[in-house]
Amino acid sequence: MTDSEAMVRALELALAGWGRVAPNPMVGAVLLRDGAIVGEGYHAEFGREHAEVAALDQCDDPRGSTCVVTLEPCTHHGKTPPCVEALVNAGVQRVVIAIADPNSRAAGGADHLRERGIHVEVGVQERTAAILNASFLWNATRPDMPFVTLKMATSLDGFLTDVDRRSQWISGKEARDYVHWLRAGYDALAVGRVTAVEDDPQLTVRGSVTPRVAPARVIFSKSGKIPRHLKLLQTATNVPTYLVAEPAQAPRLTADVSGTGVTVLAAPTLRDALRQLKTLGLVSVLVEGGGVLGTALLEQDLVDRLVWVQAPIWLGQGVRAFGNRRAVTLDAASPWTAVEQRALGADTLLVLDRELCLQG
Ligand code: AOF
Ligand code: ZN
């Protein structure tokens, strides 16, 4: 097995931390001897042992081995001792890293290891590692804004609903399971007011991964009534729930939701609202519709990642997912990067990033 193949395995292991380690990164590590795996591990739970230590624990004799790890090993005494010390003490000879750690408190591992005579390589499978930990990397690089993902399930012709405004079951079971898995990795799940009222969603996680912390819920409402019987309001005492309103509307909306446990955030713009969510400690936000909110976020360049589930049907008319965008000429259109494409049952998943958070 090559370093690069071992890194693919380490990245696969890292993903098992989805929903359990944020705001820390997902990290996986593989120990290689003569090209064969002799130990594997990953960061499984926030605050617990790091990936390298988990892999070393699994290995009978790590002396002389190569550690292939998806993030630069840490140098700090945090919730656990520094991984660089663990690697040096274990007698590891070579360390292969996908990406440097942007967290200044923990960074410097590559240099530290080199000073101890260990051969270090950085940048193996860098792109895949950057995509995996996009939320962590963007949050380190851009501390005032959360990582924003827009999820849309549409027909082939880009409709969120049919002509009668029905949207339930547009996509199949696999796609719905995927969305519950996806939700587990976000700090907040957001919808616009119309979606909150018409779909009456719970925005809870009911899938294969139970998140360490249940995601907060956010309703974006410029104005308009928020009926008290909505599930989001009824359960606001269990899970933090925010209602984002324009400052002029905030007092009236505060009255609408009084006694429910919902917190009203007065924000003049979407950008300001997202900044406020970040200040509250919500570092990643998954926006689940509808068309008005999604289009506004795209139009204002506030979406970092688009998760698009396409159902294999044509609807002809309905609510457009990406309606009313301003015209852009081919010369001016800047392309997004497809980071994942696969089938979800009969549906198609397409994940696109606005920009990759690459270090080089
Ligand atoms: C590693 N391996 O598996 C992880 C690392 O809160 P702490 O003390 O656990 O430290 C978290 C920071 O350590 C995190 O932000 C990142 O910089 C690094 N995470 N480092 O070598 C790991 N999870
Ligand atoms: Zn560490």
Side-chain angles (χ1 to χ4, degrees):
M1 180 178 273
T2 63
D3 290 349
S4 182
E5 286 163 349
M7 190 64 85
V8 170
R9 174 64 187 149
L11 287 161
E12 195 177 285
L13 290 163
L15 189 60
W18 182 254
R20 305 300 308 178
V21 301
N24 280 351
M26 290 170 276
V27 186
V30 166
L31 293 170
L32 283 183
R33 181 190 301 287
D34 301 327
I37 294 180
V38 291
E40 292 188 335
Y42 64 96
H43 187 44
E45 195 70 29
F46 178 83
R48 301 250 191 92
E49 63 178 6
H50 287 180
E52 302 88 323
V53 174
L56 289 170
D57 281 353
Q58 249 215 6
C59 181
D60 291 337
D61 182 11
R63 280 175 302 172
S65 68
T66 295
C67 177
V68 179
V69 58
T70 62
L71 182 73
E72 180 181 28
C74 66
T75 50
H76 71 308
H77 282 269
K79 298 180 189 73
T80 61
C83 288
V84 285
E85 295 303 337
L87 292 166
V88 169
N89 294 339
V92 168
Q93 211 165 51
R94 220 163 64 89
V95 176
V96 178
I97 298 165
I99 49 177
D101 192 339
N103 171 5
S104 54
R105 221 166 53 86
D111 287 344
H112 180 103
L113 291 166
R114 284 189 187 110
E115 281 158 20
R116 302 296 199 87
I118 293 175
H119 183 81
V120 178
E121 240 176 276
V122 184
V124 175
Q125 294 286 349
E126 177 198 10
R127 187 179 183 277
T128 315
I131 291 165
L132 175 77
N133 274 313
S135 172
F136 171 74
L137 297 176
W138 277 120
N139 277 297
T141 328
R142 194 187 57 186
D144 62 326
M145 289 291 278
F147 180 73
V148 178
T149 296
L150 174 63
K151 183 229 98 189
M152 292 282 172
T154 75
S155 60
L156 290 174
D157 42 358
F159 290 103
L160 289 168
T161 73
D162 67 9
V163 70
D164 299 325
R165 295 184 77 88
R166 281 182 313 181
S167 63
Q168 249 184 341
W169 319 131
I170 215 169
S171 50
K173 184 184 180 309
E174 287 88 348
R176 291 197 299 273
D177 289 348
Y178 169 77
V179 169
H180 279 283
W181 175 86
L182 188 71
R183 284 179 175 178
Y186 284 82
D187 290 346
L189 309 175
V191 288
R193 187 191 70 89
V194 175
T195 302
V197 173
E198 290 189 0
D199 293 0
D200 194 14
Q202 302 177 60
L203 297 183
T204 53
V205 184
R206 307 179 298 276
S208 55
V209 174
T210 303
R212 183 176 68 84
V213 181
R217 289 95 48 95
V218 183
I219 307 168
F220 284 87
S221 170
K222 274 192 179 165
S223 57
K225 265 215 117 25
I226 305 289
R228 297 176 75 90
H229 63 76
L230 293 184
K231 293 192 185 102
L232 289 173
L233 270 63
Q234 293 289 321
T235 55
T237 48
N238 307 338
V239 186
T241 306
Y242 300 95
L243 179 61
V244 177
E246 280 182 342
Q249 303 291 336
R252 190 176 56 75
L253 288 170
T254 304
D256 275 3
V257 301
S258 73
T260 59
V262 173
T263 305
V264 174
L265 302 177
T269 61
L270 281 173
R271 184 179 294 276
D272 182 67
L274 292 166
R275 279 207 196 102
Q276 290 190 43
L277 295 176
K278 180 68 179 275
T279 309
L280 290 165
L282 305 172
V283 306
S284 58
V285 180
L286 177 64
V287 179
E288 298 206 30
V292 175
L293 177 61
T295 302
L297 288 166
L298 285 168
E299 205 62 21
Q300 293 171 42
D301 209 10
L302 294 171
V303 177
D304 297 307
R305 177 167 286 178
L306 176 65
V307 172
W308 187 3
V309 177
Q310 293 164 329
I313 50 171
W314 301 92
L315 290 171
Q317 288 181 38
V319 175
R320 284 190 181 281
F322 313 112
N324 295 326
R325 293 207 61 186
R326 107 193 95 85
V328 181
T329 62
L330 267 177
D331 301 334
S334 57
W336 289 49
T337 303
V339 299
E340 195 178 356
Q341 261 168 309
R342 65 186 162 102
L344 287 174
D347 303 314
T348 304
L349 171 70
L350 177 57
V351 183
L352 299 142
D353 280 8
R354 181 79 191 80
E355 195 185 334
L356 298 185
C357 197
L358 297 173
Q359 300 167 329

